[in-house]
Amino acid sequence: MRLIFWKDFLDLIFPRNCPQCGRSLFDFEQCLCTICQGSLPVANFHLRPYDNELTSKIRGLTKVNRVMAYLRFSKKGKSQKLLHQLKYKNKPEIGEEMGRLYGLLLSQNGYLKEWDLIVPVPLHPMKQKRRGFNQSEKFALGLAKPLDLAVENLLERRKFTETQTKKSRLERLENVDEVFGLRQGENISGMRILLVDDVITTGATLCACSNVLLANGAKHVDLVTIAAGGQ
């Protein structure tokens, strides 16, 4: 009884609200309310993972395998609002929830036992310290639970790069050239890796990381993001 009282008291002082619509969350709702979960712009890239608009986007930049994203990105849309709150409003729980929901969807569509581990795209240590977390790692941790996989931070960002937001496709590719590397002492020979990031636009960052993993002996690398954006 005392625990219930304290929970009610904490909910009153620190209310749990849906980051999408602002409604109060029920106890069974982890991050998004049920209504907002049902209205997410879920994509179907997982139904054609080897041949879709995302694989076409990165063809020639890395050895293409499967490329998927949970949501379709649209400016001022629901996916942009969630990503903005995740990255700039200190809401890492959104990343984990997006991962959990997508992991459940993938597990229900035949993707169990498809990978050996999940690797998030790293942030530069200075940027991660400023933000307090790596949003890609939070997404990876959410994916890991329903897919029964470990998350390993195998990559490191060796150079601080400017934001990619306003750069052209060519500028983005140049901006990430020789930025990433495999952490010293790691052995990924023959591994099937799921590489994850928050969003894919041109694919420059994901492809740079994928090439590092493949060059160090990964059997194949699949790419997954929370959302897929435009050019």
Side-chain angles (χ1 to χ4, degrees):
M1 194 70 182
R2 186 175 297 175
L3 289 174
I4 295 174
F5 171 80
W6 278 112
K7 184 183 180 305
D8 291 342
F9 176 75
L10 289 172
D11 286 345
L12 182 65
I13 304 300
F14 305 105
R16 295 174 61 249
N17 297 322
C18 175
Q20 191 76 287
C21 68
R23 293 188 185 96
S24 296
L25 295 174
F26 290 105
D27 289 345
F28 62 84
E29 294 172 329
Q30 298 189 30
C31 179
L32 292 178
C33 73
T34 304
I35 294 173
C36 286
Q37 280 189 39
S39 64
L40 288 173
V42 177
N44 61 359
F45 298 115
H46 60 283
L47 301 180
R48 292 180 56 191
Y50 296 100
D51 180 23
N52 56 48
E53 64 191 75
L54 301 182
T55 56
S56 298
K57 181 177 291 188
I58 68 165
R59 189 165 285 118
L61 302 178
T62 191
K63 186 178 179 182
V64 178
N65 203 53
R66 291 178 285 202
V67 189
M68 302 176 283
Y70 180 39
L71 305 178
R72 284 195 174 274
F73 181 90
S74 60
K75 289 187 176 180
K76 298 183 179 180
K78 294 180 179 180
S79 55
Q80 186 185 43
K81 182 178 180 180
L82 285 172
L83 286 169
H84 183 81
Q85 291 193 71
L86 166 63
K87 295 172 69 173
Y88 306 115
K89 298 296 183 180
N90 193 31
K91 291 191 177 292
E93 65 273 15
I94 292 176
E96 288 203 44
E97 179 70 351
M98 294 300 98
R100 184 185 71 84
L101 292 173
Y102 198 32
L104 286 171
L105 181 63
L106 292 176
S107 67
Q108 293 162 1
N109 282 270
Y111 284 90
L112 288 174
K113 302 186 185 305
E114 290 293 298
W115 303 287
D116 297 311
L117 73 161
I118 303 176
V119 176
V121 169
L123 284 179
H124 188 276
M126 187 165 62
K127 184 177 286 187
Q128 182 161 337
K129 183 177 181 180
R130 185 167 64 231
R131 182 168 295 165
F133 62 92
N134 176 1
Q135 68 275 7
S136 299
E137 183 181 16
K138 294 298 180 181
F139 179 51
L141 291 170
L143 281 165
K145 296 172 185 176
L147 293 175
D148 193 24
L149 292 170
V151 175
E152 299 287 348
N153 288 292
L154 299 180
L155 295 170
E156 58 184 2
R157 191 181 286 253
R158 294 174 174 171
K159 296 180 182 178
F160 185 86
T161 54
E162 299 175 1
T163 179
Q164 300 272 68
T165 307
K166 296 183 179 180
K167 294 184 181 295
S168 69
R169 181 178 175 84
L170 180 59
E171 288 172 333
R172 288 176 187 234
L173 291 171
E174 293 174 343
N175 199 42
V176 295
D177 186 37
E178 298 181 356
V179 167
F180 302 98
L182 190 70
R183 290 187 183 276
Q184 188 173 359
E186 299 290 353
N187 181 9
I188 58 171
S189 180
M191 287 191 173
R192 304 165 301 163
I193 294 176
L194 180 61
L195 177 67
V196 303
D197 203 0
D198 56 347
V199 65
I200 179 171
T201 48
T202 64
T205 297
L206 279 162
C207 289
C209 289
S210 175
N211 287 335
V212 169
L213 295 171
L214 291 168
N216 282 276
K219 182 177 181 180
H220 63 70
V221 179
D222 290 336
L223 312 181
V224 165
T225 63
I226 297 175
Q231 298 292 336

